[in-house]
Amino acid sequence: MSESTASPAKNKMLIIVALALVALLVVGGALAWLLLAQRGAADEEEGRAPSAQAALPKTPPTFLPMDNMVVNLADPGGDRFVQVGITLELADAKTSELVKTYMPSIRSKVLLLLSQRTTDELLTREGKEKLALDIRREVSHPLGFSVPKPRRRAVQRDLDEEELEDDEVAPRRSRADDNPVRQVLFSSFIIQ
């Protein structure tokens, strides 16, 4: 073959390869765009912001399960009791070790809290949430943190804002919570 016939064939081959690479890049970009669009739609359906991963804490929480507790309730007659499994969500492993050093005192305070409750209180969601808040307060106290008591809400679910009296105040926005005891979680809750 002469050099003049090889050069156009080489040029055609280079053009074909270049077009194939461009097509591959376009298809890959379109595929990536579709995947990101689907992920954003899934995040919106679940109620998360698209940047939910960026909002995650820097260190994952540490979970510290407490031994199950069985306590008589404060019902008349004293024949009702509750069995509760509690897990503490803590900021980190260092906090977990600190809580473990105070665990006998914490268990005693939690048992006293439970023994002051009635069946009617603990059967409602609000009663369980109040108990969890009180337990968080008792766990936080030896660590040097306080948990503020919940403010009474000025706005009832039934009332419109227009019906508020002048002396009622809307609830404040919650400020950042630096307490290393993040949550009290119930792993079991049996009332008999």
Side-chain angles (χ1 to χ4, degrees):
M1 283 193 225
S2 69
E3 194 173 296
S4 62
T5 58
S7 180
K10 225 182 208 184
N11 287 342
K12 284 183 180 178
M13 185 59 82
L14 284 175
I15 291 173
I16 291 172
V17 169
L19 287 174
L21 284 175
V22 168
L24 186 63
L25 286 173
V26 169
V27 169
L31 204 77
W33 180 79
L34 283 173
L35 288 174
L36 288 175
Q38 285 178 347
R39 185 175 186 189
D43 285 344
E44 283 182 17
E45 286 179 9
E46 293 179 10
R48 296 183 306 204
S51 60
Q53 290 180 348
L56 293 177
K58 294 179 183 177
T59 58
T62 301
F63 294 96
L64 177 64
M66 296 174 61
D67 292 335
N68 281 353
M69 298 181 197
V70 178
V71 180
N72 288 334
L73 294 173
D75 288 334
D79 57 346
R80 305 289 305 258
F81 64 91
V82 64
Q83 177 186 354
V84 179
I86 299 171
T87 300
L88 303 173
E89 181 182 337
L90 306 170
D92 51 28
K94 182 180 176 184
T95 304
S96 176
E97 292 304 316
L98 188 58
V99 168
K100 286 178 186 176
T101 61
Y102 292 104
M103 191 56 75
S105 173
I106 290 169
R107 278 187 57 81
S108 175
K109 291 178 180 181
V110 171
L111 287 169
L112 290 173
L113 279 175
L114 285 166
S115 68
Q116 296 170 349
R117 300 301 204 271
T118 64
T119 302
D120 292 337
E121 289 176 301
L122 294 179
L123 286 176
T124 65
R125 179 185 177 102
E126 292 81 17
K128 290 178 181 81
E129 288 172 350
K130 183 179 181 324
L131 176 64
L133 182 68
D134 290 344
I135 292 171
R136 184 174 181 231
R137 184 175 295 111
E138 292 299 333
V139 174
S140 300
H141 185 71
L143 306 178
F145 290 90
S146 63
V147 176
K149 291 187 177 185
R151 295 182 51 177
R152 291 185 146 220
R153 297 209 178 226
V155 181
Q156 294 179 359
R157 293 179 188 173
D158 304 350
L159 297 177
D160 293 327
E161 287 183 23
E162 299 165 356
E163 295 176 346
L164 289 177
E165 295 178 16
D166 292 336
D167 60 340
E168 291 180 317
V169 179
R172 291 183 190 170
R173 290 186 182 186
S174 61
R175 59 182 172 81
D177 192 359
D178 60 346
N179 189 337
V181 182
R182 296 206 175 131
Q183 286 190 82
V184 172
L185 308 168
F186 295 116
S187 55
S188 68
F189 208 104
I190 301 169
I191 298 175
Q192 289 188 337

